Amino acid sequence: MFKSWKSVEPYLLVTPQTLVFLLFLVFPIATIFIVSFWEFTGYSMTPGFTLDNYRNIFTSQVSLATYLNTFKFVGLVWFFTLAIGFPVAYFLAFYIDSLRWQIILFLVCTIPFWTSNIIRMISWIPFLGREGLLNKLLIGIGLTQQPIDIFLFSDFAVVLAMVHLYTLFMIVPIFNSLMRIDRNLIAAAEDAGASGFQVFKEVILPLSLPGIAIGSIFVVTLTMGEFVTVRLMSGGQAASVGYLIRNQIGSLQYPLAAANAVILLIVTLAIIFGILRTIDIRKEL
């Protein structure tokens, strides 16, 4: 009987996690997938099976333009978070020798996360608006004679806010990768006559790729489903798939919203799969 209990015990240990996984992840996704095939007449939905929802998405110029706009946001936010996050992580890992100061400066990077996302986004409005600090500065130094409208309620504002929100998700994994690099490898490369650029190219950058991959996965997944930032910072003038789904749910178009959610999930998983196929992140796990 003791041996029998031992054989069952591992399954009992994983049962709670498995139930939570099934209840809060698998079941909701399966429900969304099923609803995406339901019929929608414009004012009511009927359980059944139809491909009209997916056909409408792929044949609608508005839907295709919305997906392209979302991919544009993802690409720009990923690029700028990497361009900002890598130098910050590199500076903390290689130019700050004291562990105490590394921790202090790292905590400074987390200060924006001490408030909600909405408050952080709203804080940009008095800075970017027509009567904001940035326009007043540009007018004051003579670079422009009138306020520039592109700073607020535009794609620029959306990308800026997302970069502000998600740069830390790029800094943390890259910093972790850089801290794991054996300094003896760098010393050996320098002793062999490698220049600073060669050390970075041949040693530091390849070993930091797992951290870049993890940060990219965070940024891409967060940006793909973003809708609050798009709504607030564009003033309703820009579109994203997440914002489209939100509007469809608000107008009770659940089958269409579910179909968009399924496509968005598939695209996001495809991007993640591509990253994982390119870079082995198991070194970080």
Side-chain angles (χ1 to χ4, degrees):
M1 184 175 180
F2 180 75
K3 291 183 178 180
S4 176
W5 167 253
K6 281 293 185 181
S7 63
V8 175
E9 185 178 6
Y11 297 99
L12 294 177
L13 291 174
V14 301
T15 297
Q17 297 92 325
T18 303
L19 292 176
V20 171
F21 177 78
L22 293 174
L23 182 62
F24 294 103
L25 182 65
V26 176
F27 179 72
I29 292 177
T31 302
I32 292 172
F33 182 76
I34 293 171
V35 172
S36 70
F37 294 102
W38 286 10
E39 297 178 357
F40 182 71
T41 61
Y43 55 88
S44 65
M45 58 182 180
T46 304
F49 181 85
T50 179
L51 295 175
D52 288 345
N53 298 316
Y54 291 95
R55 190 177 297 111
N56 290 338
I57 293 172
F58 289 110
T59 57
S60 170
Q61 293 298 323
V62 174
S63 296
L64 294 177
T66 301
Y67 275 88
L68 289 176
N69 205 49
T70 301
F71 298 151
K72 178 185 71 176
F73 286 148
V74 171
L76 290 173
V77 173
W78 173 82
F79 174 79
F80 286 114
T81 54
L82 179 60
I84 297 171
F86 193 96
V88 171
Y90 186 89
F91 175 78
L92 291 176
F94 290 102
Y95 285 90
I96 305 298
D97 297 326
S98 170
L99 177 61
R100 178 182 178 184
W101 277 105
Q102 282 181 337
I103 296 174
I104 292 175
L105 293 176
F106 185 79
L107 290 176
V108 169
C109 294
T110 68
I111 288 178
F113 284 79
W114 295 0
T115 59
S116 70
N117 287 4
I118 295 178
I119 292 176
R120 277 180 280 162
M121 285 184 284
I122 292 176
S123 67
W124 282 106
I125 295 178
F127 182 78
L128 299 175
R130 286 182 58 86
E131 303 299 327
L133 297 177
L134 182 57
N135 269 314
K136 288 183 177 179
L137 174 64
L138 295 177
I139 294 174
I141 62 179
L143 288 181
T144 181
Q145 300 300 318
Q146 57 185 7
I148 300 175
D149 294 328
I150 193 176
F151 293 138
L152 187 61
F153 301 140
S154 62
D155 289 355
F156 170 82
V158 173
V159 173
L160 178 64
M162 287 187 185
V163 170
H164 178 206
L165 293 176
Y166 301 138
T167 297
L168 186 63
F169 290 95
M170 187 68 78
I171 294 176
V172 173
I174 295 177
F175 174 71
N176 184 53
S177 290
L178 295 177
M179 290 299 294
R180 288 169 176 259
I181 297 176
D182 188 350
R183 281 7 183 210
N184 292 326
L185 295 175
I186 299 176
E190 292 173 343
D191 292 342
S195 64
F197 177 74
Q198 289 175 322
V199 171
F200 175 80
K201 179 182 176 183
E202 303 296 336
V203 179
I204 296 176
L205 184 59
L207 293 177
S208 66
L209 287 179
I212 295 176
I214 295 174
S216 299
I217 290 173
F218 284 144
V219 171
V220 167
T221 53
L222 290 169
T223 307
M224 286 289 282
E226 181 64 74
F227 67 91
V228 176
T229 305
V230 177
R231 171 65 183 88
L232 289 179
M233 300 307 295
S234 73
Q237 300 181 49
S240 70
V241 180
Y243 188 39
L244 176 64
I245 293 172
R246 180 260 183 196
N247 289 338
Q248 289 172 339
I249 292 175
S251 58
L252 305 181
Q253 301 179 52
Y254 295 122
L256 248 153
N260 275 301
V262 170
I263 295 174
L264 186 64
L265 176 62
I266 292 173
V267 172
T268 304
L269 291 177
I271 295 174
I272 294 174
F273 180 76
I275 294 173
L276 296 179
R277 289 283 293 177
T278 305
I279 302 173
D280 184 10
I281 68 170
R282 289 176 294 180
K283 300 174 184 177
E284 295 293 299
L285 303 177

